[in-house]
Amino acid sequence: MFKIDYHIHTNYSSDSDADMEDMILSAISKNIDEIAITDHVDYHEKYDPPHYDDLINKFNILKEKYKTKINMVLGVEIGLENLIAATINSFITSYDFDFIIGSSHGVCKKDLYFDNFFDGMNKKTAYELYFTEMLKNINTIDKFCVYGHIDFISRYGIYKDNSLKYRDYSDLIDEVLKTLINKNKGIEINTSGYRYKLNQTYPQYDILKRYKELGGEIITIGSDAHTPDYVGDHFEVAYEMLVKSGFKYITRFKNLKPSFTAI
């Protein structure tokens, strides 16, 4: 089995204290074949975007140091917001990334964690707005590889029952998936839901299965680890989901172009 972890954060992200080398060594110890370092860039007053010149310099030193033990690709996780598309596009084109995760961390310029996005909205309205804005992001910002943790709004809801069922939002989710496929973009299986005791991946199995049914092929796996102990976490679940859904290949990236390696 070829193992990749394409969603790893280090202390260049504002929500991690982990040294990049420690994250790499953790991946090596767990026999992971390839990793992407994907530190956050979110244009929000609560976040400080990392100093990517410094990050890339350290990345290149460590990539050379460990080149016989693990493959490394330069990535980024950027919060996509169609309202600030010009700012995001400017950043993306400033560096030679191998891999870009586009994620919805905020909606209508309100951060899902820090701000009062959910105030005054019932769950259905809030979740529908989340997917509607996600669709706008995909149609507005083109230079990304996969959409991150598609259904993770359920982690931040303020409702008695935060769960998100595919069937309740199937029309919107299908439109998101179809648009990604038509634009040659993919999704990730993000295993961090287990870290937060939610007993699921993002996306949940029903969404992953639907992506495959609609013709989706581009798929990565990421732990979303912010500390070394969570690198590669619950990957056995993710790979089982891939096989069960009918995937035979995992996707890797270089210069933002996908290639496919047998699972």
Side-chain angles (χ1 to χ4, degrees):
M1 178 184 292
F2 192 87
K3 293 172 67 176
I4 71 168
D5 191 338
Y6 260 47
H7 197 147
I8 291 176
H9 296 283
T10 76
N11 55 12
Y12 286 94
S13 291
S14 60
D15 56 356
S16 173
D17 295 321
D19 184 78
M20 189 184 296
E21 188 164 14
D22 290 340
M23 301 300 271
I24 296 165
L25 290 172
S26 177
I28 292 170
S29 74
K30 296 171 184 178
N31 298 313
I32 294 173
D33 298 288
E34 185 165 292
I35 60 171
I37 301 298
T38 55
D39 281 300
H40 285 294
V41 171
D42 286 275
Y43 290 97
H44 186 280
E45 64 181 7
K46 301 295 195 302
Y47 290 101
D48 292 320
H51 298 286
Y52 254 85
D53 292 332
D54 293 343
L55 185 157
I56 292 170
N57 182 58
K58 184 167 185 176
F59 174 90
N60 287 333
I61 291 170
L62 294 173
K63 180 179 181 179
E64 176 66 21
K65 181 177 180 179
Y66 293 106
K67 65 182 180 181
T68 63
K69 297 183 178 181
I70 195 167
N71 297 326
M72 292 172 54
V73 299
L74 178 64
V76 63
E77 182 185 15
I78 189 159
L80 299 186
E81 286 229 35
N82 57 82
L83 296 174
I84 53 172
T87 300
I88 291 169
N89 283 326
S90 176
F91 171 80
I92 290 172
T93 56
S94 297
Y95 296 98
D96 295 325
F97 292 111
D98 290 307
F99 176 65
I100 298 173
I101 303 171
S103 297
S104 288
H105 295 140
V107 179
C108 300
K109 300 182 79 170
K110 288 187 176 182
D111 187 275
L112 296 177
Y113 179 76
F114 290 111
D115 293 326
N116 57 345
F117 167 74
F118 297 97
D119 289 1
M121 284 191 286
N122 61 38
K123 184 173 83 169
K124 184 173 178 58
T125 300
Y127 287 16
E128 285 181 346
L129 180 58
Y130 171 80
F131 286 116
T132 298
E133 289 298 307
M134 182 181 293
L135 188 58
K136 291 180 183 178
N137 295 341
I138 297 166
N139 282 316
T140 305
I141 302 167
D142 189 61
K143 200 171 182 182
F144 67 94
C145 303
V146 303
Y147 218 100
H149 43 59
I150 281 183
D151 53 348
F152 101 133
I153 190 173
S154 59
R155 174 182 161 194
Y156 291 117
I158 60 172
Y159 311 104
K160 184 176 181 181
D161 175 13
N162 286 331
S163 64
L164 188 157
K165 303 292 192 299
Y166 163 71
R167 64 177 179 269
D168 294 335
Y169 307 92
S170 58
D171 289 349
L172 274 171
I173 293 172
D174 279 4
E175 192 62 29
V176 165
L177 297 177
K178 289 175 185 176
T179 305
L180 286 169
I181 293 166
N182 288 338
K183 292 173 72 71
N184 200 35
K185 309 297 182 186
I187 64 171
E188 69 165 356
I189 301 179
N190 183 307
T191 62
S192 66
Y194 287 95
R195 182 163 79 246
Y196 296 109
K197 311 303 181 186
L198 300 175
N199 200 36
Q200 71 164 82
T201 61
Y202 301 112
Q204 59 195 259
Y205 174 72
D206 286 348
I207 296 176
L208 176 66
K209 180 182 176 184
R210 184 60 176 153
Y211 174 67
K212 179 62 175 172
E213 289 172 349
L214 291 169
E217 294 290 344
I218 296 175
I219 187 87
T220 61
I221 295 177
S223 63
D224 207 343
H226 290 64
T227 57
D229 48 324
Y230 282 108
V231 173
D233 186 50
H234 278 84
F235 271 27
E236 70 283 358
V237 174
Y239 277 92
E240 285 174 8
M241 287 173 61
L242 278 179
V243 173
K244 185 178 177 182
S245 302
F247 287 92
K248 293 181 171 54
Y249 301 93
I250 196 74
T251 314
R252 303 160 67 190
F253 283 86
K254 185 175 178 60
N255 298 324
L256 306 182
K257 296 186 181 304
S259 62
F260 299 91
T261 298
I263 294 172

